[in-house]
Amino acid sequence: MTTSPEPTELILVTGASTGMGAATARELASRGFHVLAGVRRESDGEAIATTNLHPVILDVTRAEQIADLAASIEADGRPLRAIVNNAGIAVNAPVEVLPIAEWRRQFDVNFFGHITVTQSMLPALLKSRGRVVMISSLGGRLAQPTYGAYSGSKFALEGVSDALRRELAPHGVTVAIVEPGAVRTEMVGRGGVTLQKLAAEMTPEQERRYGGLMHAILAQSEGFLRDGVDASEAAKTIATAATATRPKTRYTVGKDAALLTRFARLLPDRTLDRVLASALRPLFPKSR
């Protein structure tokens, strides 16, 4: 009986417990890489472990866990082909309503966590002339109402990614950004639960201002879960961004992301405002 050779290159995927992260880890493992799949709980790791896919405990807000993983990768000796900064959360509510602690939590995971991972892995990536893949979002190019914190974190990630790409190009490390639109993932469902909780905590004045909007956004999120791209399809694009010989600087996932990122580049702000408002208007509760 023949056995497959041991993979000679490593790829790190953060936020790999479920959704796009888990699907991306599986896709990269199937392409012959040894994937280090960052999970927060051992039970999550047991659920995804397979040939070439090795779960590692990694909370991107815990600097000591990131440092331990970087040391483990250095000790392994195999080149680090890429890191896929995928970990993320979505906390949606109007700017007035969202508590500042939730703003900080959003940025700690979606932005500062990625920067910490990238800084820690750069010595290995510089040695291997590897790649950084940042998982942004349609929300990193276009901010819908109630997406202030989420889009803020993704806009920041896009800006840093552009700077990083230009800094590292002379040293052989490439940077690619992936901008998914509606994808059927657990994160969307968890975001909807959080939105409902925050909506229930609004003051009567806030309810009058934003109640209909929150209802519409929740209905839109449910549509994402029903009609969005499957996570396995998103994973193929992310895997390509991580492994292509000459990667694009940006990839979109889904027709909505391709269309709306183009709108964001071309349409005047007020026109884009009207486009987004018209998409939400049918989802508002009907007046009695």
Side-chain angles (χ1 to χ4, degrees), residues 61-283:
T61 67
R62 300 280 298 275
E64 70 278 8
Q65 291 184 3
I66 296 169
D68 288 346
L69 180 57
S72 175
I73 289 171
E74 182 179 4
D76 182 281
R78 286 175 288 183
L80 181 62
R81 171 69 173 271
I83 61 172
V84 179
N85 284 308
N86 169 77
I89 58 173
V91 182
N92 294 344
V95 171
E96 178 186 354
V97 172
L98 190 65
I100 197 65
E102 291 297 322
W103 285 84
R104 291 195 174 100
R105 185 168 74 96
Q106 184 83 91
F107 274 77
D108 279 345
V109 177
N110 288 11
F111 181 70
F112 292 114
H114 295 332
I115 303 306
T116 307
V117 169
T118 301
Q119 287 180 332
S120 298
M121 302 303 161
L122 267 178
L125 291 170
L126 286 163
K127 186 184 301 183
S128 66
R129 299 173 72 87
R131 182 163 307 156
V132 178
V133 179
M134 296 290 199
I135 307 304
S136 179
S137 169
L138 168 59
R141 303 293 293 280
L142 179 153
Q144 295 201 76
T146 78
Y147 281 74
Y150 179 78
S151 284
S153 69
K154 295 297 188 180
F155 269 67
L157 190 66
E158 295 250 356
V160 168
S161 298
D162 284 340
L164 186 68
R165 185 179 68 251
R166 292 158 186 157
E167 292 165 2
L168 295 179
H171 308 290
V173 176
T174 49
V175 178
I177 302 168
V178 180
E179 298 164 339
V183 179
R184 298 194 297 272
T185 68
E186 289 82 350
M187 185 185 78
V188 176
R190 289 193 295 268
V193 172
T194 303
L195 188 149
Q196 288 178 307
K197 178 177 180 294
L198 291 168
E201 295 172 351
M202 289 193 297
T203 66
E205 292 80 6
Q206 291 170 343
E207 168 63 30
R208 283 193 291 272
R209 280 192 285 275
Y210 307 119
L213 174 62
M214 297 280 268
H215 181 278
I217 291 293
L218 183 59
Q220 187 181 66
S221 297
E222 292 170 348
F224 291 165
L225 286 172
R226 183 180 62 251
D227 304 323
V229 173
D230 189 79
S232 62
E233 290 301 310
K236 293 176 184 176
T237 299
I238 297 169
T240 296
T243 62
T245 302
R246 292 177 60 84
K248 300 177 184 178
T249 58
R250 282 176 168 79
Y251 295 80
T252 57
V253 176
K255 292 180 181 178
D256 58 336
L259 179 64
L260 289 172
T261 54
R262 191 173 298 117
F263 280 0
R265 287 197 308 271
L266 300 176
L267 294 182
D269 287 345
R270 299 297 186 190
T271 303
L272 189 57
D273 290 350
R274 289 193 291 272
V275 169
L276 296 178
S278 65
L280 280 175
R281 194 172 298 118
L283 302 177

